[in-house]
Amino acid sequence: MPGIDGLEFVQRAKELNPDCEALMISGHEESAYIRQAMRFDAVDYLLKPVDIDELDRVVCKIVARIKTRSQQRRTWEEMARRIRDSRELWAGKLVERLAARAMPDEDEVRQQLKFLGSALEPDRPVAAAYLGVVDSLEEMEFRERQAARVLLLAAAEREIETRGIGALAALHDADLLAVIANAQGGTGPLVELSRAVQREIGERLGRTVAVGVGHCVPDAYHAHESCRSARAELIGASLPGRDRLA
C-alpha cells in the first residue's frame, strides 16, 4: 500500500474501531515483524503463499470471535436494561412509600436514596409535584396510554439531568408522575421543570398535562406532606377553566 505498510494500517484501524479483527498476510518472515503484528492483536499471521485450508481455519476463528463478542454485548445490554427496569421499579416503590409516609425513619430514607444513587438530598428541604394527563386515560387507546406514561417519565428524567436538580421521578398510582425534588431555594426550579414536561407532552402527544406542586417541607422524610398538597393542587388544576399548572 502506498505511503503505509500493513502494520500501520492495522494500528490505525484498531484506533478507529478497537473491535475490528485483523488477519495479517505477508511475505515478511522476520520474528520482530510477526511479534509487532501480534502486539496489535492480530488474530493470526499467515505467510505468502497462503494455504487455502489454513486461511479457511483462521477466517472461521475470526467469525467465531465476532459472534462471541456480539453475544457478550447483547448479554450486557440485557443486564443493563434489567438493572434500569429494576431501578425504575424501586424508585416507584420509594416514591409510593414516601408519599404514604410508610418509611420507618430518616435513616431508612437515606439508605434507600443512597441505594438508588439518587441526587435527592434526604436531609434538605424538598417539594413534590404531581403531573397527569387531563384527557381521560380510559378514553385513550392502550398504546397511547402507555406512550403518555413513558413520555412523562422520560421527559421528567431528562429535565432533571439537564437542569442538575437533585430529584426522584417515578410513575405513581399508575397514571400519575410524581417528582420529589430538593427545594432549598423554594419550588421555582420544580415549577419550571414541570412546565417543561407539560410543554413536551403537549407538543409530542397533543395532550394536556395538569400539574400540582406542593409546598416545601424540611426533608425527604416529610415528603408526604408536600405530596398531599401537590395532589390537591393537581385535582384543582384538572378542573375545567383552571390553569393547568397550579
Side-chain angles (χ1 to χ4, degrees):
M1 292 175 286
I4 184 174
D5 62 14
L7 287 176
E8 188 176 352
F9 176 83
V10 171
Q11 182 181 12
R12 292 186 183 181
K14 288 286 187 179
E15 289 173 353
L16 291 173
N17 181 7
D19 287 338
C20 74
E21 301 289 356
L23 166 61
M24 298 292 294
I25 300 177
S26 176
H28 292 282
E29 296 187 48
E30 296 89 346
S31 60
Y33 195 90
I34 297 174
R35 285 197 302 272
Q36 183 78 344
M38 295 299 103
R39 190 170 68 83
F40 292 143
D41 197 27
V43 175
D44 214 327
Y45 189 100
L46 301 181
L47 290 173
K48 296 177 181 178
V50 176
D51 180 84
I52 297 300
D53 290 337
E54 182 70 4
L55 178 61
D56 183 65
R57 179 190 67 79
V58 176
V59 169
C60 288
K61 180 180 177 181
I62 290 173
V63 171
R65 283 178 55 151
I66 293 173
K67 286 183 177 179
T68 299
R69 187 166 54 245
S70 178
Q71 180 61 44
Q72 289 173 339
R73 182 177 292 113
R74 287 196 296 270
T75 299
W76 281 109
E77 289 173 351
E78 176 63 16
M79 289 177 62
R81 184 191 65 78
R82 291 185 179 184
I83 291 171
R84 184 173 60 253
D85 290 347
S86 297
R87 185 183 183 281
E88 290 180 3
L89 179 62
W90 197 278
K93 291 294 184 183
L94 179 55
V95 167
E96 183 178 331
R97 293 180 70 193
L98 287 171
R101 198 179 184 181
M103 304 298 287
D105 52 43
E106 291 90 337
D107 286 339
E108 179 69 11
V109 175
R110 296 187 192 100
Q111 291 172 10
Q112 294 289 329
L113 289 172
K114 183 178 181 180
F115 174 80
L116 279 172
S118 173
L120 181 67
E121 299 176 71
D123 299 314
R124 292 176 178 269
V126 304
Y130 276 97
L131 296 85
V133 177
V134 174
D135 310 79
S136 174
L137 287 172
E138 289 74 18
E139 297 175 3
M140 297 165 63
E141 292 185 1
F142 176 76
R143 289 184 179 180
E144 192 176 5
R145 292 203 309 270
Q146 291 296 100
R149 295 183 183 111
V150 170
L151 284 176
L152 270 173
L153 181 59
E157 290 181 336
R158 187 164 50 252
E159 289 297 329
I160 287 169
E161 183 176 358
T162 300
R163 297 168 185 269
I165 299 174
L168 187 64
L171 293 172
H172 185 44
D173 287 351
D175 297 326
L176 296 180
L177 175 74
V179 181
I180 300 175
N182 286 124
Q184 295 93 318
T187 60
L190 184 57
V191 170
E192 290 304 313
L193 181 152
S194 300
R195 287 189 185 279
V197 173
Q198 202 176 36
R199 285 194 298 270
E200 180 172 339
I201 301 303
E203 292 169 0
R204 297 186 64 176
L205 292 182
R207 296 286 181 176
T208 303
V209 174
V211 178
V213 178
H215 62 275
C216 293
V217 293
D219 51 45
Y221 180 66
H222 293 87
H224 61 279
E225 298 174 9
S226 186
C227 288
R228 186 167 56 245
S229 63
R231 290 185 71 111
E233 293 293 339
L234 177 67
I235 292 171
S238 302
L239 296 174
R242 288 287 303 275
D243 183 352
R244 298 307 185 187
L245 179 57

